[in-house]
Amino acid sequence: MIIKVLGSAAGGAFPQWNCNGAQSRAVRNGDPGFRPRTQASVAVSGDGRRWVLLNCSPDIRQQILATPELHPRADDGPRNSPIRAVVLTGAEIDHIAGLLSLRERQPYTIYATTRVLETLAANSIFDALDKRIVPRAALSLDTPIGLSEAGVDLGLIVEAFAVPGKIALYLERGTAGDGYGTDIGDTIGLKVTEAATGRYFFYIPGCAAIDRGLRQRLATAPLVFFDGTLYTDDELIVQGLSDKTGRRMGHVPVSGENGSLAAFATLNVHRRIYIHINNSNPILDEHSSQRATVAQAGWEVAHDGLDVHTGNRVTR
Ligand code: MLT
Ligand code: MN
């Protein structure tokens, strides 16, 4: 199974269009140690011909241009695409807005929880994707489902599971007491398995806390892409970029007592890769001490264009 990182940054990307923070300035300047990044999404394929996107960011057009595997095939008719399905982990703008760029009457299937499908249904702009051409399929939690497009099996099995998180920012209602309207299915993680080999990995770009259930699920995983939004819970406040903590935004920080570094230190995850990294996070600076800290703990920091080939057959 091949996994291609199309985009590795959090919402807003790196640099973010209106961000005057030190790191956004550095990457805009082309300073050494800083790579530009588009908004988080990966493409997955078993056969290298038919591809599934995990989330579809506003940067999808640029990401497709940068990825020859996702270009139309010369031997396949006047309009075609290797993209056969899109699986969504939530309804945040950085996960779904790219769907609007994938119109032009090209068939593929959208998979998402009922909660996320309700959001697409409630926003008529997504009717630009004619459901007879781009059908929408519901993901039930904790239920593996074989992905297919127009009845053709794509060779990949996806299992969606709820992770601690939050309703999309633009859908927030009410108060913290009721979780701003958050319900089960608003934020999910994905386990993606190649049917032919049993090889699998987890994709969790947004996660507010690493609870016991998630620890158990990931305990011996061969590969996990995980939420690397912020290094420190209050870094947006400290850097003067926002008045919100990471946890308020639905993102567990990398550092700290309950951060992802500490949580994963107790797990036996073979390969661990941060993705959905915010422009404020010092791990984006290849020369920072924080980058050295995560590398020492065995973490990779995803960059756009990173290719990951799943390893030897995994026994389950
Ligand atoms: C997030 O991950 O918190 C969202 O992408 C926020 C946003 O849409 O700006
Ligand atoms: Mn996001």
Side-chain angles (χ1 to χ4, degrees), residues 159-176:
E159 180 178 353
F161 52 90
V163 294
K166 187 181 69 58
I167 194 169
L169 180 59
Y170 62 93
L171 292 171
E172 285 188 8
R173 303 282 182 268
T175 60

Side-chain angles (χ1 to χ4, degrees), residues 91-92 96 115-116 118-120 122-123 166-174 179-182 186:
E92 289 284 11
I96 68 171
R115 283 283 285 183
V116 172
E118 281 168 7
T119 298
L120 297 184
N123 287 275
K166 187 181 69 58
I167 194 169
L169 180 59
Y170 62 93
L171 292 171
E172 285 188 8
R173 303 282 182 268
Y180 308 99
T182 300
D186 282 330

Side-chain angles (χ1 to χ4, degrees), residues 10-12 39 92-95 166 169-170 205-206 229 249-251 276:
Q39 294 166 86
E92 289 284 11
I93 290 170
D94 58 340
H95 295 343
K166 187 181 69 58
L169 180 59
Y170 62 93
T229 309
M249 298 189 326
H251 299 293
H276 190 279

Side-chain angles (χ1 to χ4, degrees), residues 226-228 254 260-261 273-275 277 283 294 299-302:
F226 194 78
D227 184 339
V254 168
S260 53
L261 265 186
I273 305 177
Y274 281 124
I275 197 162
I277 306 157
I283 66 173
V294 301
W299 284 87
E300 294 167 66
V301 176

Side-chain angles (χ1 to χ4, degrees), residues 129-146:
L129 304 170
D130 185 335
K131 293 193 191 80
R132 289 165 301 183
I133 301 170
V134 185
R136 303 175 188 181
L139 290 174
S140 302
L141 297 178
D142 305 310
T143 311
I145 176 175

Side-chain angles (χ1 to χ4, degrees), residues 9 13 16-17 29 36-37 55 85 108 122 127 144 150-151 175 177 200 212 214 218 263 266 279-281 286 300 306:
Q16 177 175 308
W17 73 283
N29 278 341
R37 286 169 161 87
N55 291 331
Y108 61 96
D127 292 347
T175 60
Y200 67 94
R212 212 161 71 96
L214 186 57
L218 303 182
T266 66
N279 51 68
S280 55
N281 189 329
E286 289 164 23
E300 294 167 66
L306 174 69

Side-chain angles (χ1 to χ4, degrees), residues 96-118:
I96 68 171
L99 292 171
L100 297 174
S101 297
L102 303 190
R103 50 194 197 280
E104 321 297 2
R105 304 184 69 75
Q106 180 63 43
Y108 61 96
T109 303
I110 298 171
Y111 290 89
T113 62
T114 307
R115 283 283 285 183
V116 172
L117 291 179
E118 281 168 7

